[in-house]
Amino acid sequence: GGGSFMWASADGSKVFFTDGDSAGLTGSTVSGSGENLYEYDLNTGHLTDLSPDGEAGVLGVSGVSESGEYVYFVAEGVLTGQEANGYGEEAKTGGYNLYVYHEGKARFIANTGSEEGNIDFANRYERHRVRVSPNGGFIGFESMRSLTGYDNSGFNEIFLYDAAQNKLSCASCDPSGAPPTASSTFFGAEIDAIGPNDGTVGYLQRNVLDDGRVFFSTYNGALPNDTNESSDVYEYEDGQLHLISNPASDGSY
């Protein structure tokens, strides 16, 4: 007892949940490690601790690929064997450390610096500003931290992680290097949806695709032709930013 359901693969064969170390669910669960992340495989009946570390402190699951082969989660602990990411940042104790678990091991992605990297179950739909591509190869997430060296002036930016290349990039950053004037965002999902253009939907929209394309909304004019000072929709593809809504409109979402 005491476990919390987090996610499941699309066919339901793999279930992911958290539970405290005191439950003693597996032989690899370390005493005193706090919340651990587990995977149960219904086909084999095998239970695996995905965070067998002395200071796991798992906070939540950000997303899982449809197959269940890629698991993105946030933990306060520094999992053993973690190396710095491509920008020299290392996981730190007590931080919102974002990891990906794939092929039997976890890899550190970034310290998101807020609760945006995990699921807040008290307010799950509004707070979940993270998207995982269906194949699990990419995750897009919001953060106010300068994770790639761009001066975001305290605004949220959209970051994209490519698991195959172990590469983190900023999808919403102004290509000119100019600081933003507004945040970029993935709309959360709210149970009581009002309409299609008010930023509320009843499900998590597919903002990140299997080929790494990212779609997001922002009031920030990140390209020279975005001059309407209203919300616009952008696409990030192969390292290039594109404005795909009408820059002369009164706002697009």
Side-chain angles (χ1 to χ4, degrees):
S4 297
F5 171 78
M6 290 284 136
W7 218 280
S9 60
D11 64 0
S13 65
K14 295 182 179 181
V15 179
F16 302 91
F17 66 95
T18 58
D19 206 343
D21 64 282
S22 60
L25 298 184
T26 72
S28 61
T29 301
V30 179
S31 177
S33 59
E35 288 292 301
N36 280 248
L37 177 60
Y38 296 92
E39 173 192 306
Y40 182 73
D41 190 322
L42 276 75
N43 292 327
T44 64
H46 187 65
L47 180 65
T48 305
D49 187 346
L50 306 186
S51 57
D53 191 271
E55 51 178 20
V58 174
L59 296 172
V61 172
S62 300
V64 174
S65 63
E66 290 186 345
S67 67
E69 297 299 321
Y70 289 85
V71 185
Y72 294 88
F73 67 97
V74 175
E76 292 182 311
V78 179
L79 304 186
T80 57
Q82 296 301 310
E83 299 178 351
N85 65 15
Y87 293 92
E89 182 180 47
E90 299 179 345
K92 63 179 182 179
T93 302
Y96 288 94
N97 303 304
L98 178 62
Y99 296 96
V100 57
Y101 183 91
H102 180 58
E103 295 183 340
K105 64 178 182 180
R107 174 186 285 166
F108 171 68
I109 298 174
N111 184 346
T112 65
S114 71
E115 295 183 1
E116 299 298 346
N118 66 3
I119 297 175
D120 179 356
F121 280 89
N123 196 8
R124 174 174 179 173
Y125 293 95
E126 292 184 20
R127 297 291 295 278
H128 195 62
R129 302 297 180 89
V130 183
R131 299 293 187 274
V132 173
S133 62
N135 64 5
F138 299 89
I139 182 174
F141 61 94
E142 295 180 17
S143 179
M144 290 189 294
R145 296 192 66 232
S146 178
L147 300 180
T148 59
Y150 172 74
D151 178 13
N152 60 341
S153 298
F155 289 105
N156 267 335
E157 298 292 350
I158 302 293
F159 294 92
L160 178 70
Y161 175 72
D162 183 335
Q165 299 186 41
N166 188 26
K167 180 181 178 181
L168 182 66
S169 57
C170 182
S172 61
C173 292
D174 190 320
S176 73
T181 58
S183 291
S184 298
T185 186
F186 294 140
F187 283 125
E190 298 178 4
I191 296 175
D192 298 321
I194 299 174
N197 289 328
D198 61 1
T200 60
V201 291
Y203 58 91
L204 295 179
Q205 296 173 312
R206 188 162 288 178
N207 297 74
V208 180
L209 305 186
D210 283 343
D211 58 6
R213 279 183 290 165
V214 183
F215 301 89
F216 62 91
S217 298
T218 183
Y219 280 82
N220 179 51
L223 292 176
N225 60 330
D226 185 357
T227 59
N228 60 2
E229 298 183 351
S230 297
S231 176
D232 283 292
V233 178
Y234 282 81
E235 175 191 15
Y236 180 79
E237 180 180 8
D238 295 331
Q240 299 294 319
L241 193 60
H242 308 279
L243 177 63
I244 64 174
S245 61
N246 183 357
S249 72
D250 292 331
S252 301
Y253 302 87

